[in-house]
Amino acid sequence: MKIGIPKEIKPNENRVALVPSGAAALISAGHQVVIETGAGAGAGFADELYVAAGAELAPAAAPVWDSADLVVKVKEPIEPEWSLLRPDLTVFTYFHFAANRRLTEAHLASGATCIAYETVQLPHGELPLLTPMSEVAGRLAVQEGAHYLEKLYGGRGVLLGGVPGVAPAKVVILGGGVVGTHAAKMAAGLGAQVTILDLSLDRLRHLADILPPNVQLLYSSRHAILEHIAQADLVIGGVLVTGAAAPKLIRREDLATMQPGAVIVDVAVDQGGCVETTHPTTHADPVYLVDGIVHYAVANMPGGVPRTSTLALTNATLPYVLQLTNKGWQAALRDNPALLKGLNVVAGHVTHPGIADAFGMACLPQEQFLQ
């Protein structure tokens, strides 16, 4: 099989979908790897490393897409890439279809087979290909939130950890999943007063065993959210509904109850955001103000630390890429129920209920396309 690795063209996206050692593993398994020139440069992987691994360099994106049976990416194909999609092509990447109707319709129209990292799901519920980037994003949320709390950027002028004699910042985290857990570890480690709100009592009990004493764990409700965001210096949105749009937990009118200069980091922006006033931003222009509240909503947060993110992501994705290439996508999905859950769009049809629900579209069974 021929695997194509195009350069990511989403603004300020410097990750790459395959590291040189991954290319070597695929080539050793009898496959061909074609990578666009410069695709790995932003993450610190020079073209020469891929050539040494046995990969073929292509001077532009079109030859990569045109020659590939399987395209492996980091982010969803954006509009300039839509014309490169075709019915006999399989694309394996983060799609987040439920947050973008035009993206969904473009991929439906292409007839391509779209397998989404973010909905690959193990039997116990873990999302193995979303987890590494959620770990990065959770930690970055605190790093960026602390930065934008500085007065220079419109923040309250609060130091996250405080100093002796001065209280630390109050950090409120919506969601106790991977993002929330890693954000809490970072914020607590810096000395902040942290509160996590989550709907799962089992999850809260687990977090009580692993997080330090300066993390308060509360059952999430509308009343609890309003009470705690009113006191917060930094709010981190880390809510995820697999494959579906994120619920809006903070409404526009709620901002008026918050302290001027408080910061919201909405990590759920890829799925539409869990704050009503969220809209996607970029690393080049990451923040905006609404009613005196600083909003940070970069849609590819891990792209800001591409070396770490690329290594973490490809550690997780390579075993699945090998399954897809060694068996073909249909046999790989038949043999691996977790990977089957990643099938979102195929042959012009939606096959994930979260996407269908978001746009009122029909949803066909994934198994129907494995014949």
Side-chain angles (χ1 to χ4, degrees), residues 315-330:
N315 286 344
T317 56
L318 182 60
Y320 292 95
V321 174
L322 283 164
Q323 291 174 48
L324 291 168
T325 52
N326 290 340
K327 299 179 180 181
W329 73 266
Q330 290 172 304

Side-chain angles (χ1 to χ4, degrees), residues 265-353:
V265 178
D266 196 346
V267 184
V269 62
D270 270 334
Q271 294 291 93
C274 60
V275 179
E276 189 176 26
T277 45
T278 288
H279 65 73
T281 62
T282 67
H283 288 288
D285 188 15
V287 296
Y288 58 94
L289 283 172
V290 180
D291 297 342
I293 306 302
V294 180
H295 290 57
Y296 178 99
V298 174
N300 61 329
M301 288 179 64
V305 286
R307 180 77 178 189
T308 297
S309 298
T310 290
L311 289 166
L313 178 62
T314 57
N315 286 344
T317 56
L318 182 60
Y320 292 95
V321 174
L322 283 164
Q323 291 174 48
L324 291 168
T325 52
N326 290 340
K327 299 179 180 181
W329 73 266
Q330 290 172 304
L333 269 57
R334 278 197 303 268
D335 293 348
N336 188 337
L339 190 55
L340 176 59
K341 289 182 180 293
L343 185 63
N344 281 199
V345 167
V346 58
H349 299 283
V350 171
T351 57
H352 193 284

Side-chain angles (χ1 to χ4, degrees), residues 71-143:
V71 165
V72 183
K73 292 183 85 276
V74 177
K75 295 300 291 182
E76 74 282 357
I78 62 175
E79 192 163 353
E81 297 170 306
W82 292 351
S83 63
L84 299 171
L85 298 166
R86 61 181 197 274
D88 63 339
L89 180 67
T90 300
V91 184
F92 192 35
T93 189
Y94 289 118
F95 281 106
H96 299 287
F97 281 123
N100 190 328
R101 188 181 191 106
R102 287 189 68 233
L103 176 74
T104 304
E105 290 174 343
H107 285 74
L108 288 169
S110 75
T113 299
C114 303
I115 303 171
Y117 293 162
E118 71 272 11
T119 64
V120 173
Q121 189 171 19
L122 299 174
H124 58 277
E126 182 186 348
L127 304 170
L129 305 187
L130 192 60
T131 293
M133 294 302 92
S134 295
E135 292 169 341
V136 171
R139 291 170 182 247
L140 265 180
V142 175
Q143 186 171 303

